[in-house]
Amino acid sequence: MNTPIENKKFFLCYFESTRNCNINCRYCMTQSADPEKEIKGEELTTSEIKSLVIDEVKKYTPLSAIAFSGGEHLTRSDAMELLEYTADSGLWSFINTNGRLLNKKKVREIKKITDGKVVFAFSLNSISKKIHKWSRDDALRTVVKAAKVCASEKANFFFILTVSKSNLETLQETVDFLKKHKIPILRSPYVLRGKGALYPELRFDKIDMETIINPVLRDYSLSYISYTPFFASPEFLEEEWKKLDLSIEQFGCQAAKGFVGISAEGEVAPCVHLLDSEVSCGNIRDTPLSDILKNNEVIQNLQTRDKLKGKCGICRYKMTCGGCRALAYYETGDYLAEDPSCFFEPENQDTRSEHEDIHNKNSAEFIRFIKDQEPWSLLF
């Protein structure tokens, strides 16, 4: 048995445990845009998930978490068994759920079997009822009710916000609401994966990024995980990491650095948005996940970032941002291409962004937050 890697940085395995779901969102990433196209392979069994996903993640580094998603993970008959096994392995569970199956009894049961090592993640694309329902095939009250249940049961939660043309007009209002309540946000970019390919007009561009998206996000420190473009100084962040001994390397694109994605059939990609694409790193039924994470060329390219192209390759923020690899792929077919949504135009690696100071300031605020607040202080 391989021993865990020495560099025990926090690692998240985003695992789409099933493609089945109890709702039918119009641009669901896990459902094919062509209903006639058969998805290859059978979904991983309970025993396969335990040995090929959970055990392998722990082998890679014990400071890890499994983000169970789908589809809807809670529709699996073994959903609770897998959550309990994850906790017994010493790992945290994130449950990315639409919230329909959550009530006080279920939340209490999940907290009990995970020994409290669980965080719920809910999709909230807009606080406008009309806009949220258009994107989610469900009423806003469902996710609000689920979040209130978690709050009443002292279960940790945050929101995932998929940014697209459909919700730009309410993005500021939505983030302001979450900021008021000090709720962390994980921003997710709209991409053409799955049924998303049916709505190419929903893709945002660099003008949207410069005038709306980046200004809104950079003003809220609790949105500072996994979004690009991101302009925190590499020197500043390195000093902060050392000062506080945090197990997190950077804030920008986390593909292959902070997480990887695994499909229900065992396919591995550097990012969940790149599952079902040509940017495949293999299948865990054929190659152990720990071996893929250590030896796969795609993974290594994104960890070192030496082969990034265009302005991402010469950018001062290559290691703290890196550009969104999914947006690059869906725009050009090349996961190493420059981020098409980035408005920054560096002349060389010494060119500084005018937004570096505010990103440094808010990065420090976010670092203090995760250092002082559970469960983040336990995770990082």
Side-chain angles (χ1 to χ4, degrees):
M1 179 177 177
N2 294 330
T3 56
I5 60 172
E6 293 182 7
N7 185 17
K8 297 180 179 61
K9 296 292 186 183
F10 173 75
F11 177 75
L12 177 69
C13 175
Y14 191 106
F15 174 45
E16 294 179 345
S17 67
T18 181
R19 295 183 189 264
N20 294 324
C21 195
N22 51 353
I23 61 176
N24 185 29
C25 298
R26 68 178 66 229
Y27 54 72
C28 175
M29 290 196 301
T30 60
Q31 298 300 315
S32 174
D34 182 359
E36 301 298 322
K37 185 177 180 181
E38 182 179 357
I39 296 173
K40 297 180 180 179
E42 298 293 326
E43 291 189 353
L44 296 169
T45 64
T46 305
S47 61
E48 285 180 316
I49 292 171
K50 289 179 179 179
S51 62
L52 303 182
V53 179
I54 300 170
D55 289 352
E56 284 289 304
V57 167
K58 184 176 182 179
K59 182 190 297 184
Y60 181 66
T61 173
L63 188 59
S64 303
I66 310 290
F68 292 96
S69 183
E72 173 58 54
H73 173 69
L74 295 178
T75 63
R76 282 190 64 119
S77 60
D78 60 358
M80 305 302 283
E81 180 181 349
L82 293 173
L83 292 171
E84 185 172 21
Y85 185 84
T86 301
D88 289 344
S89 299
L91 307 180
W92 280 71
S93 291
F94 286 61
I95 304 176
N96 293 18
T97 173
N98 57 48
R100 277 196 169 189
L101 299 178
L102 287 184
N103 51 39
K104 287 190 175 184
K105 181 180 179 181
K106 178 65 73 173
V107 171
R108 288 172 182 171
E109 181 184 3
I110 291 174
K111 284 189 65 179
K112 181 178 179 180
I113 64 173
T114 61
D115 195 27
K117 295 194 292 287
V118 63
V119 180
F120 293 90
F122 304 111
S123 292
L124 176 68
N125 292 340
S126 176
I127 60 171
S128 161
K129 295 179 181 179
K130 181 179 179 180
I131 293 175
H132 179 82
K133 183 174 176 57
W134 184 91
S135 69
R136 290 293 304 162
D137 186 37
D138 202 358
L140 180 61
R141 63 176 176 272
T142 298
V143 67
V144 171
K145 180 180 178 181
K148 286 183 176 179
V149 168
C150 286
S152 69
E153 295 301 316
K154 294 181 171 53
N156 299 294
F157 69 94
F158 65 92
F159 289 117
I160 300 174
L161 198 162
T162 299
V163 180
S164 73
K165 288 278 192 182
S166 71
N167 60 356
L168 288 182
E169 66 181 69
T170 60
L171 183 62
Q172 181 74 68
E173 185 181 9
T174 302
V175 173
D176 283 348
F177 172 81
L178 298 174
K179 184 177 182 179
K180 177 181 178 182
H181 295 280
K182 297 181 180 179
I183 300 174
I185 311 168
L186 178 64
R187 147 269 185 219
S188 178
Y190 181 83
V191 298
L192 301 185
R193 181 189 168 200
K195 288 167 65 176
L198 300 174
Y199 302 92
E201 69 275 10
L202 293 183
R203 291 179 295 178
F204 55 79
D205 55 34
K206 66 174 59 180
I207 296 176
D208 297 324
M209 180 60 74
E210 182 174 20
T211 60
I212 302 174
I213 303 169
N214 200 264
V216 171
L217 293 177
R218 69 171 175 254
D219 194 42
Y220 182 35
S221 63
L222 298 192
S223 72
Y224 270 36
I225 282 287
S226 189
Y227 87 84
T228 62
F230 191 77
F231 306 116
S233 159
E235 301 90 353
F236 173 82
L237 289 185
E238 183 178 3
E239 185 61 30
E240 289 295 305
W241 301 155
K242 290 179 180 178
K243 187 192 315 179
L244 296 177
D245 191 28
L246 288 175
S247 297
I248 183 172
E249 292 185 343
Q250 41 96 57
F251 282 131
C253 180
Q254 299 284 332
K257 292 179 72 67
F259 59 59
V260 294
I262 303 179
S263 75
E265 300 78 29
E267 175 197 355
V268 180
C271 167
V272 63
H273 295 92
L274 291 170
L275 287 171
D276 304 326
S277 77
E278 295 177 353
V279 192
S280 174
C281 302
N283 193 291
I284 58 176
R285 281 175 165 145
D286 303 318
T287 307
L289 176 62
S290 55
D291 288 351
I292 292 175
L293 295 174
K294 293 176 185 178
N295 303 316
N296 180 264
E297 182 180 5
V298 172
I299 299 291
Q300 291 178 344
N301 285 341
L302 293 182
Q303 287 179 344
T304 64
R305 296 184 174 174
D306 291 338
K307 296 184 179 181
L308 292 185
K309 301 174 183 178
K311 60 187 180 183
C312 285
I314 64 168
C315 187
R316 164 174 169 76
Y317 310 102
K318 179 168 68 174
M319 297 307 294
T320 55
C321 170
C324 178
R325 299 300 95 215
L327 291 178
Y329 171 77
Y330 287 106
E331 179 70 22
T332 68
D334 183 354
Y335 73 97
L336 294 170
E338 69 181 35
D339 184 340
S341 71
C342 183
F343 53 87
F344 182 52
E345 300 294 340
E347 295 182 3
N348 52 51
Q349 62 182 3
D350 296 321
T351 308
R352 293 175 179 263
S353 165
E354 63 181 302
H355 306 300
E356 183 174 302
D357 288 344
I358 185 64
H359 269 144
N360 284 352
K361 173 180 175 294
N362 281 341
S363 291
E365 289 183 9
F366 182 70
I367 291 168
R368 286 193 293 271
F369 172 82
I370 61 177
K371 187 69 176 179
D372 297 336
Q373 299 291 324
E374 292 186 3
W376 317 113
S377 58
L378 302 174
L379 283 167
F380 298 118

